[in-house]
Amino acid sequence: METIDLRSDTITLPTQDMRRAIYEAELGDDVYQEDPTVNRLEEQSARIMGKEAALLTDSGTMANLIAVLAQTRPGDEIIVGSEAHMLWYEVGSASALGGVVIRVVPNEEDGRLNLDTVEQTIRTENIHFPHTTLLGLENTHNRCGGTVLTPEYTSAAAELAHRHGLMVHLDGARIFNAAVALKVPASELAAPVDSVCFCLSKSLSAPVGSLLCGTRDFVNSARKWRKMLGGGMRQAGIIAAAGIVALEDMVERLAEDHANARRLAQGLARIPAITVHPDRVQTNMVMLELPPGVSTSDFIERLGRHGVKVGSPGGQRVRAVTHRLVETADIDEAVRRIELVATEMQSESR
Ligand code: TLP
């Protein structure tokens, strides 16, 4: 039985072209900024995001942390959504290492933050209060099921933040999924914000790396913070080489992953034992809801024994992510196996 792995698009492996590019990469010491391949990737990334400069980081987690470190001071307050990756999955690094207070505004179902609520959350000057200095957005939104933020929304959010003196960081780990879904250049989604990061190692299939982009001054400061965190890599061109291929060849094909996610959601919506909303699927993620009484961890384990791997963001929710290594036929097979397990478990729970 072939395993269908829908846990995350992070499991994608490099393509043959990437392996060849890694093998042939021209290298140098990137701490001295002398790795020509890293320099090329950083220039290419800055251009694509419409920013002055970019910095290769080890991971999306590191890029988000550096964005905080470089744009706040210890004791400041940052605002992020209640479902933000920065809040849930980054080990509390912004607080632990950046010393900032994280203030949360509820995420709407579609990944947005209500801007009136954001405005009310920003601190006014008061001897007792910390300074609110950064707003964090996420596009696409992971825990909201891969939902996209439009350029119009991002502009309105950034305009509000800037009016109150805040900087805006966009966690664009999957910004190319948003760009493909909305049919706009990624630079349009990033234009309103001060800093943006994106990942090479998710749907784009490169093995390692994220890029943090912004003004030249910001990136110079980010480079220093990266060094402090131990993220200054030497011949990092072997990583960057695959990243260049990812940016050149892997963006347009994301539409296939989105079509597969819609197909998966439509297939699953016909199964009475689970709840899925196909109309909420905007990119490469599908959220399913198990009925009360069915244990999520048992469901995941049992499904794993039937050769389908998925994850859970918590509660009765299960997340399935489509990516380059799952084909349309795998989607149909996954629907069949999920139906089997969900129906079995529901009848047992009665
Ligand atoms: N997300 C991973 C897990 O951490 C949950 C996944 O499987 O989806 N921002 C967003 C929006 C992300 O989804 C992720 C990874 C990151 C940042 C962190 O990237 P890495 O894993 O490179 O540190």
Side-chain angles (χ1 to χ4, degrees):
M1 182 174 47
E2 213 183 306
T3 300
I4 304 165
D5 194 340
L6 301 171
R7 282 172 303 168
S8 183
D9 45 15
T10 57
I11 67 126
T12 46
L13 299 172
T15 62
Q16 285 308 319
D17 284 350
M18 289 179 189
R19 289 174 188 272
R20 204 169 304 118
I22 290 168
Y23 181 73
E24 291 169 359
E26 226 187 307
L27 302 174
D29 188 329
D30 182 48
V31 172
Y32 297 124
Q33 296 186 54
E34 286 173 7
D35 187 303
T37 312
V38 173
N39 292 344
R40 244 177 76 208
L41 172 66
E42 290 180 344
E43 281 158 25
Q44 181 187 19
S45 300
R47 209 168 42 246
I48 290 172
M49 288 298 146
K51 300 293 180 200
E52 283 175 17
L55 179 77
L56 175 64
T57 63
D58 303 30
S59 64
T61 302
M62 183 186 272
N64 282 334
L65 172 59
I66 293 174
V68 172
L69 291 169
Q71 296 179 109
T72 63
R73 291 197 306 189
D76 283 357
E77 181 173 75
I78 68 171
I79 297 177
V80 300
S82 53
E83 301 301 318
H85 193 280
M86 288 172 76
L87 180 72
W88 278 81
Y89 299 127
E90 301 186 4
V91 209
S93 59
S95 299
L97 305 177
V100 297
V101 179
I102 302 184
R103 192 96 175 279
V104 163
V105 167
N107 270 113
E108 314 260 314
E109 216 159 61
D110 61 6
R112 286 180 303 165
L113 304 175
N114 178 299
L115 295 184
D116 292 334
T117 314
V118 172
E119 188 155 31
Q120 286 151 21
T121 306
I122 297 170
R123 306 273 193 169
T124 50
E125 183 46 46
N126 182 306
I127 184 72
H128 305 90
F129 292 169
H131 293 293
T132 316
T133 49
L134 186 74
L135 172 68
L137 302 173
E138 191 174 314
N139 196 10
T140 64
H141 202 291
N142 185 340
R143 287 180 59 85
C144 293
T147 47
V148 304
L149 298 180
T150 61
E152 294 74 27
Y153 173 79
T154 311
S155 290
E159 191 275 319
L160 166 72
H162 291 153
R163 189 158 25 93
H164 290 275
L166 279 70
M167 305 293 267
V168 183
H169 172 64
L170 177 61
D171 175 355
R174 296 184 179 83
I175 197 168
F176 293 107
N177 292 87
V180 166
L182 289 164
K183 299 190 172 67
V184 298
S187 58
E188 213 174 298
L189 300 172
V193 304
D194 302 288
S195 61
V196 56
C197 66
F198 67 86
C199 295
L200 300 167
S201 58
K202 301 195 164 60
S203 291
L204 300 187
S205 297
V208 190
S210 295
L211 275 298
L212 178 59
C213 315
T215 63
R216 195 162 299 284
D217 281 352
F218 165 75
V219 169
N220 287 342
S221 156
R223 189 178 295 280
K224 191 100 177 175
W225 282 110
R226 185 188 68 175
K227 188 75 182 109
M228 190 188 280
L229 296 174
M233 298 177 282
R234 300 296 177 173
Q235 284 73 40
I238 57 165
I239 291 171
I244 292 170
V245 177
L247 289 176
E248 282 172 357
D249 297 348
M250 305 307 283
V251 172
E252 274 173 29
R253 65 151 305 286
L254 296 177
E256 293 168 32
D257 299 344
H258 300 174
N260 277 336
R262 280 196 300 275
R263 188 180 181 96
L264 179 64
Q266 282 154 4
L268 295 176
R270 287 194 285 269
I271 305 172
I274 48 186
T275 306
V276 176
H277 300 283
D279 51 316
R280 289 193 197 155
V281 174
Q282 298 181 0
T283 58
N284 69 331
M285 290 188 192
V286 180
M287 291 289 183
L288 8 163
E289 180 103 19
L290 300 176
V294 171
S295 146
T296 310
S297 53
D298 287 353
F299 174 81
I300 291 174
E301 207 214 290
R302 235 202 257 188
L303 192 56
R305 279 191 257 125
H306 283 78
V308 178
K309 294 186 178 177
V310 290
S312 172
Q316 292 305 97
R317 293 201 309 159
V318 169
R319 183 185 80 158
V321 185
T322 57
H323 52 78
R324 199 188 103 245
L325 303 184
V326 286
E327 290 167 8
T328 305
D330 300 321
I331 296 296
D332 297 340
E333 180 57 21
V335 171
R336 208 184 58 75
R337 295 184 200 172
I338 293 171
E339 176 165 25
L340 193 82
V341 172
T343 312
E344 231 172 59
M345 287 187 74
Q346 196 188 28
S347 56
E348 285 166 21
S349 77
R350 282 207 184 107

